[in-house]
Amino acid sequence: MYKLSISPVFLLALISAVPGSLAQTTTAASAEPTATSNAKLHTVAKAAGKLYFGSATDNPELTNVQYISILNDSATFGQITPANSLKWDATEPARGDFNFSGGDQIVNLARANGQLLRGHNCVWHSQLPDWVSDGNFDAATLTSILQTHCSTVVGRYQGEMYSWDVVNEPFNDDGTMRSFVFTDTLGSSYIDIALQAAKAADPNTKLYINDFNIEGPGVKSTAMQNLVKDLKSRGIPIDGVGIQAHLIVGELPADIQQNIEAFTALGVEVAITELDIRMDLPATPDKLAQQKTDYQTVVSACNNVSECIGVTIWDFSDLVSWIPGTFPGQGAACPWDENFVKKPAYDGIVIGFQ
Ligand code: G3I
C-alpha cells in the first residue's frame, strides 16, 4: 500500500508559512525581561482622565488568534486606527472606484468591541495611486478629485469616527511644505480643500493634521503651529494635531510636554497617534529598560496636558510592526514582543498614566 510520507522539516516550513498558524502561537517564550503590571492600558488611561489608549491594526493580522484576542480586549485598547485600509490606494484605486472592504472590516470590529476609531487618512503623499500622481490634472480637476475622495471616504463612516487624519505628513523636516501632486498643483490650499470636504461629510468628527518629527520643539513643530494659526485665522476647520511619535530608544527629544502645550495653546487638541520606539536588534535587557523609560516619558508628557486626549501605538506586537521592513536591523519597537509577551515598555505606559 502507498504510504504518504512528509518530512518533519517540510511540515515545519509549511506551518510557518501560514499566517496566523500554530507556528506563531507555539514559539518558545522570550528569555528577555517582561512586564510585571496586570493593569489594562485603556482602563489606566481612562482613570487618568484620557479619552482612550489605542492601537493601529491591519487587516492581514486579524486572522491570528492570539493577536485578535488582545486587540478585541476593550479594557486594553479603547481605540483602533486602521493602519492601511483607509488610505487612498486602498479606498480609491481607480478614479471613482471606491472600495471599503478592508475599512469596513476594521470599523465593524471596533464597533462590536465598543472601541473608538481614528480615520487614517484622506490625503497623503504616500500610498497615493499613480492615477492621481501622474494624471496631469489641472487645478480645477484635482480640486474636484480631492473633494470627491475626502467627502466619500469620510462620509462613508459618518458618525463612526472619533477623528480623522484629514491631512497626513504635510511638511518636510525643515518645515517647508512637502512637494507632491497636490502642493505642486494647488499649493497649500489643498489642505483647506481637504479639511472643508471632510467637515461637510461628517460635521462631528474631529479633523486632524498628523505628522512625524513634531514630538519636540523645532522648525517642523513651528511650521505646524503656524499652519494651525493660519487655518484658524481664516476660519478653516481644524480640531487637532496628531503627533505620530515614531521614536528611537534613548533618543527622545527634550521638552515633549512643553511642545504639546505649544499646540494646545492654539486651541486645538493633541493626540499621540502612532507611537513606537525602535532599537538596534537584538533587544537586550538594558535596551528594554531604556525603552520602558522612553514609553513612560512620552505617555507622561501627554498625561500631564489635559488637552492631549489619548495615545495610540502603531500596532502592539513586534510580530506585525512595520519597523523591520523599513529599517533593516532595527525593531522590537512595540510593547508586546513577537510572541505576544508584554515587555517592560508595557509597565512604562502604565506608570506614564499615573
Ligand atoms: O497592499 C500591498 C500588497 O498588495 C502586496 O502584496 C504587499 C507586498 O509587499 O504590499 C502591500 O502593501 C504594503 C502596505 O503596507 C499594506 O500592507 C506596502 O508594501 C507597505 O510598504 C505598506 O507599509 C505601510 C506604510 O505605512 C507605508 O508607508 C505600513 O504597513 C504602515 O504601518 C505605515 O504607516 C505609516 C502611517 O500611515 C503614516 N505614518 C508613518 C507610518 C509608518 O510608515
Side-chain angles (χ1 to χ4, degrees):
M1 196 177 82
Y2 177 75
K3 198 173 160 205
L4 183 65
S5 97
I6 300 175
S7 98
V9 174
F10 175 74
L11 200 60
L12 257 181
L14 198 67
I15 291 173
S16 315
V18 180
S21 75
L22 197 62
Q24 290 174 9
T25 65
T26 55
T27 320
S30 158
E32 299 290 354
T34 59
T36 56
S37 175
N38 289 320
K40 300 287 184 91
L41 300 180
H42 177 62
T43 304
V44 172
K46 289 290 280 185
K50 300 290 136 182
L51 203 51
Y52 59 77
F53 185 86
S55 178
T57 191
D58 206 0
N59 301 72
E61 304 153 19
L62 304 178
T63 55
N64 182 306
V65 289
Q66 271 184 298
Y67 178 91
I68 197 72
S69 72
I70 299 171
L71 185 74
N72 279 342
D73 177 9
S74 56
T76 298
F77 300 120
Q79 178 273 324
I80 302 277
T81 306
N84 283 302
S85 50
L86 292 179
K87 291 172 178 174
W88 199 313
D89 60 350
T91 51
E92 195 184 4
R95 188 172 177 186
D97 179 7
F98 286 91
N99 180 346
F100 293 108
S101 56
D104 285 358
Q105 185 185 13
I106 293 174
V107 169
N108 290 338
L109 175 146
R111 190 195 297 128
N113 292 334
Q115 293 158 319
L116 297 172
L117 281 153
R118 300 193 77 257
H120 178 85
N121 55 62
C122 289
V123 57
W124 185 30
H125 71 276
S126 180
Q127 290 171 283
L128 187 61
D130 290 346
W131 73 263
V132 185
S133 306
D134 302 339
N136 291 312
F137 299 112
D138 62 22
T141 309
L142 207 54
T143 298
S144 161
I145 286 169
L146 182 57
Q147 284 169 331
T148 301
H149 182 78
C150 286
S151 61
T152 305
V153 177
V154 173
R156 168 82 178 187
Y157 301 109
Q158 186 186 7
E160 303 266 14
M161 295 286 177
Y162 167 72
S163 61
W164 264 99
D165 293 329
V166 177
V167 178
N168 199 38
E169 301 176 4
F171 291 111
N172 297 309
D173 280 350
D174 67 1
T176 56
M177 279 277 166
R178 187 188 289 276
S179 162
F180 73 127
V181 64
F182 286 108
T183 32
D184 295 350
T185 311
L186 301 170
S188 60
S189 76
Y190 89 92
I191 294 175
D192 306 1
I193 294 164
L195 288 165
Q196 285 167 326
K199 184 74 177 176
D202 187 350
N204 295 319
T205 195
K206 302 267 187 190
L207 308 179
Y208 273 64
I209 302 178
N210 188 48
D211 216 327
F212 59 91
N213 287 349
I214 56 165
E215 293 74 27
V219 287
K220 197 170 183 180
S221 291
T222 302
M224 182 67 93
Q225 287 150 21
N226 288 337
L227 173 60
V228 169
K229 283 183 211 164
D230 174 56
L231 292 168
K232 283 191 158 285
S233 74
R234 292 185 296 111
I236 307 293
I238 176 71
D239 300 302
V241 170
I243 296 178
Q244 292 187 6
H246 294 294
L247 299 168
I248 300 173
V249 164
E251 297 182 27
L252 262 51
D255 302 328
I256 296 175
Q257 181 181 328
Q258 290 86 331
N259 191 55
I260 292 172
E261 286 166 340
F263 286 111
T264 60
L266 303 177
V268 287
E269 63 181 42
V270 163
I272 306 293
T273 52
E274 305 187 12
L275 176 61
D276 52 25
I277 311 183
R278 63 188 184 267
M279 61 181 73
D280 290 333
L281 297 172
T284 62
D286 282 353
K287 291 182 209 170
L288 291 168
Q290 182 63 49
Q291 186 183 48
K292 171 185 173 182
T293 302
D294 292 344
Y295 265 95
Q296 179 184 335
T297 299
V298 176
V299 170
S300 161
C302 178
N303 196 37
N304 290 343
V305 183
S306 59
E307 300 88 353
C308 184
I309 55 100
V311 176
T312 307
I313 48 177
W314 204 243
D315 229 318
F316 63 87
S317 164
D318 293 331
L319 183 66
V320 294
S321 171
W322 68 290
I323 296 287
T326 302
F327 301 102
Q330 297 180 50
C334 301
W336 278 256
D337 75 8
E338 66 278 8
N339 300 307
F340 299 104
V341 176
K342 290 184 279 181
K343 293 151 65 173
Y346 185 100
D347 290 341
I349 297 169
V350 172
I351 299 164
F353 280 123
Q354 284 162 355

